[in-house]
Amino acid sequence: MRARGFAALMAGAVVVAGTVLAPAAASAAEKVVLSKGHTDAVDVHYEGGALSLKVHDDTVSPSVTRDPVDVTFQVLPDAAMAVPDDPRFAFLGPVGSQVWLLPMTQDPDLLWPGWNTTTLNSGVFAGDKVRLSLVDVQGPGNVTLFTQDAFGGPIIKFRGDDGLPDAIDVPVHTHAHSNWAFSALGSYTLKFQADATLTSGTTVSTGPVDYSFVVGELPGGGPEVGLSVSGMAEEYQPNDTVTLNAVQTPQTELDHYHWFSKCPGADDYTIISGEAGASYSFTATRELNACEYVAKLYDDDHEVVAASEPVTLWVAFPPEEPGTSQTITASIDETQGSLVISVNPDDRAVVLPPAQLGPAGDRWESNGELRPVTVTDTRAGQPGWSASGQVPADFTGPDAATFSAGYLGWTPQVLAQGSGQGVVAGPQVAPYVVGTGGGLGNSAVLGSAPGGAGRGTAQLGASLRLSVPTETAAGTYTATLTLTAI
């Protein structure tokens, strides 16, 4: 077991999502186990007049949307850590006792679940918000979801041992993460529910939706690993690009594959040289028509752990055309493209005007403008995106003087976007105020685009507001704003 320090809790962002219930529960053997990587565990959707909760799974490529009933979230044994000697975190248990924690900042060796409302449209819900509730927890221990303020202090969102339901209001276009803490090993069922009031006054609700968590090893060592091949279309034109993906169920740490093919007239499958990853791409030709492809997964001893069922490639005959004509075929693979966030290297310094005494006489205040931020999405699949910013460290000034990054806030703006891109500005974040939190010491959404849109180039900006206590030492202070897009 890998030792983990409490520092893993000290930074990050908060998220919420939702899920649609299937008519019948999947058996344990049929469930997909998510144990590493990013997932919007509670992904809120509104379609056809109905509010629902889904699981958006980014642990596979391309990402998929699943029903919660089909998913088991695994908190791996490596998530274990000791409760720190800090009275602010006494709610986790006695000092030095063990908890299993999925941190709000991403750890590549653990699951990174969050909640998400970026698929929702503005103007549909009263106040442009939905209410997310944890209505019940069943399991061998306590469950707590909490974020942290600019000074590292906990902000509890949901807690299973002090009376449920617990509820928070989540603005639309929010993508956030929190710390998920479990006090004991074993299997848990968390019941989440989303509620909202439409602008017409009608109320909508998902009702309680079950989420299955396993803390530690899966019962019986976990289900057998299944392997399937996704990505094969019904038919290709000559020179189309074929991209096949090997999909494990449940997902494991194994990542060594071989791909095999068998074409008409061959007696057996032959290995495809140089292909040892989960994805295999090649060009469709008429000579490959009716060829079959399988993938095999291997363990560290190069023993076959799982093999897929064969998938068959069908390549169309080119149409008959006059001898003077030409056929030009272009294809755009929805798995290709990229999401890029950037700033002009020659226009990346923000200099705020000298701070002036605020109207109440208790704060030094200054206002300015963030330099333009460009987000370019060339992914044909249009999964949507969310761009966020955070000042992860204190402002530093003369003679080692500092003040908290939380004293800086912003009001995001969309400066420009392509037709139909659907980009919306993030919510206003006020500077930190004792007792209410706030500020850019925590991650905050600058702008986002919903799934099914977002492709193209958008330019984002924000009005900045600095508000620091009057006892702050005089001088020039600097800090770095970190921008990310997912």
Side-chain angles (χ1 to χ4, degrees):
M1 180 179 298
R2 185 160 48 124
R4 291 182 177 273
F6 188 66
L9 302 181
M10 294 303 187
V14 202
V15 150
V16 168
T19 294
V20 174
L21 287 174
S27 69
E30 295 172 329
K31 285 195 173 188
V32 172
V33 177
L34 304 182
S35 60
K36 291 185 180 182
H38 178 266
T39 177
D40 292 328
V42 187
D43 190 27
V44 185
H45 286 248
Y46 181 70
E47 298 171 326
L51 197 65
S52 61
L53 296 180
K54 301 179 182 180
V55 176
H56 188 75
D57 180 8
D58 282 329
T59 68
V60 295
S61 180
S63 60
V64 296
T65 299
R66 306 183 188 276
D67 285 335
V69 72
D70 297 327
V71 177
T72 294
F73 300 93
Q74 185 181 12
V75 184
L76 292 171
D78 275 359
M81 60 165 285
V83 175
D85 187 4
D86 185 334
R88 296 179 300 173
F89 296 92
F91 63 90
L92 292 175
V95 173
S97 63
Q98 197 168 55
V99 294
W100 288 261
L101 184 133
L102 300 177
M104 63 190 290
T105 51
Q106 185 168 19
D107 182 330
D109 294 327
L110 296 175
L111 189 64
W112 194 35
W115 54 83
N116 181 50
T117 60
T118 61
T119 66
L120 304 180
N121 293 322
S122 299
V124 175
F125 304 99
D128 265 352
K129 64 184 179 181
V130 297
R131 171 154 289 199
L132 187 72
S133 303
L134 179 64
V135 298
D136 188 42
V137 172
Q138 299 174 12
N142 184 37
V143 180
T144 305
L145 276 68
F146 65 100
T147 60
Q148 287 167 268
D149 61 25
F151 301 98
I155 303 173
I156 295 176
K157 299 296 184 180
F158 305 107
R159 183 174 176 182
D161 66 349
D162 64 350
L164 292 175
D166 285 344
I168 60 174
D169 288 330
V170 183
V172 300
H173 306 301
T174 294
H175 176 265
H177 288 266
S178 72
N179 303 296
W180 299 60
F182 298 80
S183 66
L185 295 169
S187 298
Y188 294 76
T189 299
L190 280 59
K191 293 180 181 288
F192 283 102
Q193 178 172 316
D195 298 276
T197 301
L198 305 181
T199 52
S200 65
T202 303
T203 59
V204 289
S205 175
T206 64
V209 178
D210 288 353
Y211 284 77
S212 298
F213 282 77
V214 173
V215 181
E217 299 292 350
L218 295 170
E224 284 189 22
V225 179
L227 195 66
S228 60
V229 173
S230 66
M232 182 69 82
E234 292 184 2
E235 186 179 69
Y236 294 86
Q237 296 296 323
N239 299 317
D240 281 355
T241 297
V242 182
T243 300
L244 305 179
N245 295 293
V247 180
Q248 298 181 37
T249 306
Q251 184 69 35
T252 72
E253 296 182 358
L254 300 177
D255 60 0
H256 183 65
Y257 301 84
H258 283 303
W259 291 85
F260 299 81
S261 66
K262 183 176 72 171
C263 292
D267 295 328
D268 206 351
Y269 287 90
T270 58
I271 191 169
I272 300 171
S273 178
E275 298 295 335
S279 182
Y280 169 45
S281 294
F282 59 96
T283 300
T285 65
R286 277 298 305 163
E287 290 74 19
L288 295 178
N289 185 56
C291 290
E292 297 180 347
Y293 297 85
V294 299
K296 294 183 180 181
L297 176 66
Y298 294 79
D299 61 18
D300 294 338
D301 297 322
H302 209 259
E303 297 291 333
V304 176
V305 175
S308 73
E309 292 294 324
V311 294
T312 302
L313 174 70
W314 299 105
V315 183
F317 284 94
E320 294 184 4
E321 298 179 0
T324 57
S325 65
Q326 297 184 15
T327 298
I328 300 175
T329 302
S331 63
I332 299 176
D333 188 341
E334 69 175 15
T335 66
Q336 301 301 309
S338 61
L339 177 65
V340 178
I341 186 169
S342 61
V343 295
N344 185 339
D346 298 323
D347 187 21
R348 60 193 307 165
V350 178
V351 180
L352 297 177
Q356 303 294 319
L357 199 60
D362 62 344
R363 313 284 289 183
W364 291 109
E365 297 188 348
S366 179
N367 298 287
E369 295 294 326
L370 184 71
R371 308 316 303 149
V373 176
T374 300
V375 179
T376 301
D377 187 3
T378 58
R379 299 170 296 177
Q382 300 191 97
W385 51 262
S386 177
S388 302
Q390 180 179 9
V391 181
D394 289 347
F395 281 79
T396 58
D399 300 323
T402 64
F403 62 77
S404 171
Y407 291 131
L408 180 67
W410 70 9
T411 301
Q413 305 160 357
V414 179
L415 304 180
Q417 62 175 305
S419 176
Q421 200 171 0
V423 180
V424 295
Q428 181 183 26
V429 177
Y432 174 79
V433 176
V434 175
T436 62
L440 295 180
N442 290 319
S443 180
V445 176
L446 179 61
S448 62
R455 190 177 183 195
T457 298
Q459 195 171 69
L460 307 175
S463 298
L464 300 175
R465 180 187 169 209
L466 180 70
S467 178
V468 299
T470 53
E471 61 266 24
T472 304
T476 300
Y477 292 75
T478 60
T480 300
L481 173 70
T482 300
L483 297 162
T484 58
I486 60 174

